[in-house]
Amino acid sequence: MRNETRGTVELTLAMVFSGTLGVFVVESGASPFEVVFFRCLFGAVALGAYSLARGFFTGHGFTARKLGLAALGGVFIVFNWVFLFEAYEATSISLATVVYHTQPFFLVLLGAVFLRERISAGKLGWLALAFAGLVLVSGVGPGDTASLAGLGFALAAAVLYALATFVTKRITGVRPHLIALVQVLAGLPLLLPFVGFGGVSGLGTGWFWLLGLGLIHTGLMYVLMYAAYAKLPTAKIAVLAFTYPAVAMGVDWAVYGHHIGLVQALGVPLIVLASLKVTLAARTPAAAPAPRTAARGPEAASPAATRAA
């Protein structure tokens, strides 16, 4: 199998796994804080075992500054998951996932605020188009407080993910697997006070869903993504990323019977197109976040490279 073909298969599989995330969260029966805690716990085991087997801890490249940045990124990542999972409960997996994919626009705004990067007229146009799509997709009436809350949670998750990306892009010379490992480890003490162990002890089959979130959606999914990044051009990575919301919407309809209305459906391509344009514009070859672990030294990968949850 050609290198690029293999990378395409790996990234597509990773995005398909990501699209099933919502079902695992809902079916676990645990609260969002508890779901994220156990995702971090089981994910740390999976990523730690993989990194140990591959010898990534030798010459890891961490300094005190890089470790601190990774931990800070972990704070943003884990609370991003909490808000996203809250959005699943308040609205639907489909709506939350589409709104969540406004992340690139918040990253652009962060660059403008903190790095004084100029926002071109073209980017402003795409931002306006995405906002129009967001208004259509929300389909929220003035009295629909539950959906309004879900929309707010999803937007908060997108902002936090953009912050995690912004911080993680400052880290170089460290394999992305190790950065991800530090991030999930940082989540354990943060979320421990919110876990009711008495309640989760009675989850029954919910434990299998939680285990899947850690092993599949955190361990296997990230390993597949990072392997694919080394084989694929930036444009293909950006396009394949949208397998995730497509699968999420299909799974939400197939499992729970949730589907967006006609007006909402008109907003989806606006967000997707605008997000794709902004994402591709931001990824010049010199700044592409894909970790080339196969032939080069370890690099940090931006978690927004595919915007997987």
Side-chain angles (χ1 to χ4, degrees):
M1 185 183 293
R2 287 177 54 239
N3 215 32
E4 186 171 330
T5 302
R6 180 167 182 168
T8 300
V9 172
E10 288 169 339
L11 188 53
T12 300
L13 277 175
M15 293 299 97
V16 169
F17 287 144
S18 194
T20 65
L21 179 80
V23 173
F24 279 70
V25 172
V26 173
E27 293 301 315
S28 72
S31 73
F33 281 101
E34 292 164 348
V35 170
V36 177
F37 176 83
F38 288 106
R39 181 183 186 181
C40 288
L41 179 62
F42 297 137
V45 172
L47 288 169
Y50 179 81
S51 298
L52 182 63
R54 294 295 303 273
F56 291 166
F57 291 109
T58 302
H60 50 74
F62 273 121
T63 62
R65 178 181 177 275
K66 293 176 184 179
L67 192 60
L69 286 172
L72 178 60
V75 174
F76 294 135
I77 282 289
V78 297
F79 283 108
N80 138 78
W81 287 340
V82 170
F83 278 112
L84 179 61
F85 299 166
E86 289 280 8
Y88 290 161
E89 290 190 357
T91 176
S92 69
I93 295 170
S94 298
L95 178 59
T97 302
V98 172
V99 174
Y100 185 58
H101 274 70
T102 57
Q103 302 150 5
F105 311 112
F106 292 112
L107 190 58
V108 168
L109 295 175
L110 286 171
V113 172
F114 293 104
L115 301 179
R116 297 184 179 179
E117 295 175 347
R118 190 177 69 87
I119 302 179
S120 66
K123 282 186 179 179
L124 284 174
W126 291 119
L127 285 167
L129 185 67
F131 179 76
L134 183 61
V135 172
L136 291 172
V137 165
S138 68
V140 177
D144 192 356
T145 55
S147 293
L148 278 172
L151 181 64
F153 287 140
L155 285 172
V159 171
L160 287 168
Y161 203 94
L163 285 167
T165 301
F166 189 77
V167 170
T168 304
K169 286 175 71 175
R170 315 272 83 79
I171 306 172
T172 58
V174 181
R175 292 187 184 274
H177 309 78
L178 296 181
I179 296 174
L181 176 58
V182 170
Q183 289 174 337
V184 293
L185 286 173
L188 295 177
L190 284 172
L191 300 172
L192 184 60
F194 303 100
V195 179
F197 289 99
V200 295
S201 62
L203 286 177
T205 57
W207 283 107
F208 292 103
W209 297 102
L210 292 176
L211 189 63
L213 282 167
L215 300 184
I216 299 173
H217 295 91
T218 308
L220 178 59
M221 188 179 77
Y222 282 132
V223 168
L224 286 171
M225 284 196 304
Y226 296 145
Y229 293 165
K231 305 179 183 77
L232 297 176
T234 301
K236 181 167 282 191
I237 290 173
V239 171
L240 288 175
F242 289 97
T243 304
Y244 162 32
V247 171
M249 293 172 72
V251 168
D252 195 24
W253 172 76
V255 178
Y256 301 113
H258 296 158
H259 60 85
I260 60 177
L262 178 60
V263 175
Q264 291 175 300
L266 294 175
V268 174
L270 299 183
I271 293 176
V272 168
L273 178 61
S275 177
L276 185 59
K277 287 289 187 178
V278 170
T279 301
L280 287 175
R283 289 182 195 159
T284 60
R292 308 285 178 174
T293 55
R296 297 168 54 185
E299 300 176 5
S302 162
T306 60
R307 294 191 303 285

